[in-house]
Amino acid sequence: MIFHVLTIFPEFFRGPFDHGVVARARNAGILDLRIHNLRDWTSDRHKTVDDRPFGGGEGMLLKPEPLFEAVESIWPERGPVRKVLLLSAQGPLFNQAAAERYTALSEILLICGRYEGVDERVAEHLADEEVSVGDYVLSGGELGAAIVVDAVARLLPGVLGNGDSAVFESFSSASLTGSGGRVLDCPQYTRPSEFRGWGVPEVLLGGNHEEIRRWRRQAALQKTARLRPELLESAKVKKVLPE
Ligand code: 9D3
C-alpha cells in the first residue's frame, strides 16, 4: 500500500514512521510512504501556501492552487482504489472501522491542514473524505496523518507477526459484545506476581483455562463499564456489571 503525505512540514515525519510496526512494514516492502512538500507546488518567489480568508477573520488559510497542483501531479489519474483524505478538525471522527475500510485501497493521499484551515474548495472538489482524529484542537493535520498511517499500516497482511493479533484487540470492530457494543481489553499482568505489595489476580496464576477465560471476559466488561461506559450500549449488558 502506498501512502502519500502532503504537508508544509515534511521533516515532521522523520520520527513517527521510522520506528516499530510502521518502520518494519516499510522495510518489508508492504508499505511505501512518500512525504511531499507542499511548497514544491508553489510558483511564486516566496513559495506562498497560505492567504487571508475572504470576509475577514483571524489567521490564514491554505490556498487551493498548490494543493490541487500537488494532488494532480502525484496522481494524474484518480480512481476507486485511490483516496484523498483531508485531515481537518471538521471531518467525521476516524475510528477502527474507517481504518479497516481504508485497507481495501491501494493508495491513500493525506492532505495535512495548517493555520486556521484550508480553502473549502479543497474539501469540496479535491478530497474524497475529510477526517478528524478527535474532538480537540490540534495545530495542524500532521499528527492526524501519522495516526491514520499507523492505524491502517498495522492492519495490512504480513505487518504484524501473528496474523490474528490485530483481530482480537480492544477496538477491532470484531471485538463486540453480544449486543453490538465494544469491550476494552481485559487487564493483563506479567512478572513479578507481587510488586510493591500489589498482587496479581489469583485465577491467572493457576492453570484453569476455562476459569481464566471467564475471569478475563468479566474483568474486561467491568473495566469497560468503569472507563468507557458509553461503549456498552445495551441495558442488558449494563445489568451484568456490578463491580
Ligand atoms: C476557529 C477555530 N479554529 C481554531 C481554534 C478551528 C481550527 C482550525 C485549524 C481547529 C484546528 C485546526 C487545525 N487542526 C487540524 O488541521 C486537524 C485536526 C484537529 O484540530 N483536531 C482533530 N483532528 C484533526 S485532523 C487535522
Side-chain angles (χ1 to χ4, degrees), residues 144-156:
I147 285 170
V148 172
V149 170
D150 188 277
V152 176
R154 60 188 298 289
L155 296 177
L156 298 176

Side-chain angles (χ1 to χ4, degrees), residues 87-90 113-117 131-134 136-141 144:
L87 277 302
S88 97
Q90 275 70 49
R114 269 283 153 179
Y115 309 113
E116 273 309 295
V131 180
S132 165
V133 297
Y136 35 76
V137 179
L138 298 173
S139 45

Side-chain angles (χ1 to χ4, degrees), residues 13-210:
F13 295 96
R14 294 316 158 206
F17 298 153
D18 292 337
H19 303 280
V21 166
V22 172
R24 261 201 293 133
R26 297 176 79 181
N27 291 331
I30 297 165
L31 181 67
D32 183 356
L33 266 165
R34 304 184 191 169
I35 313 298
H36 306 274
N37 189 342
L38 182 62
R39 290 191 201 278
D40 292 347
W41 284 278
T42 55
S43 44
D44 64 311
R45 204 158 57 83
H46 297 106
K47 300 187 185 291
T48 308
V49 292
D50 61 336
D51 208 339
R52 296 153 59 200
F54 280 124
E58 285 295 295
M60 303 288 271
L61 303 177
L62 284 182
K63 60 204 262 85
E65 302 96 313
L67 289 165
F68 276 79
E69 288 294 328
V71 172
E72 287 163 1
S73 101
I74 295 166
W75 285 346
E77 306 263 309
R78 303 278 292 265
V81 290
R82 289 179 162 171
K83 238 188 220 306
V84 175
L85 306 183
L86 173 62
L87 277 302
S88 97
Q90 275 70 49
L93 293 184
F94 180 67
N95 60 16
Q96 192 65 22
E100 287 170 15
R101 189 160 51 83
Y102 296 152
T103 61
L105 302 171
S106 66
E107 288 187 62
I108 294 177
L109 194 159
L110 300 151
I111 299 176
C112 303
R114 269 283 153 179
Y115 309 113
E116 273 309 295
V118 178
D119 186 288
E120 187 64 16
R121 288 165 292 192
V122 172
E124 291 264 318
H125 304 295
L126 186 62
D128 295 297
E129 295 180 24
E130 273 185 88
V131 180
S132 165
V133 297
D135 286 333
Y136 35 76
V137 179
L138 298 173
S139 45
E142 283 77 9
L143 281 169
I147 285 170
V148 172
V149 170
D150 188 277
V152 176
R154 60 188 298 289
L155 296 177
L156 298 176
V159 170
L160 294 186
N162 173 358
D164 277 350
S165 52
V167 176
F168 292 106
E169 58 199 344
S170 277
F171 280 97
S172 165
S173 53
S175 176
L176 301 171
T177 63
S179 54
R182 296 174 303 187
V183 284
L184 303 180
D185 281 347
C186 65
Q188 301 195 85
Y189 302 85
T190 185
R191 293 187 292 182
S193 58
E194 188 173 311
F195 172 68
R196 298 190 177 178
W198 300 301
V200 167
E202 205 62 45
V203 56
L204 299 178
L205 303 175
N208 189 331
H209 296 292
E210 180 54 28

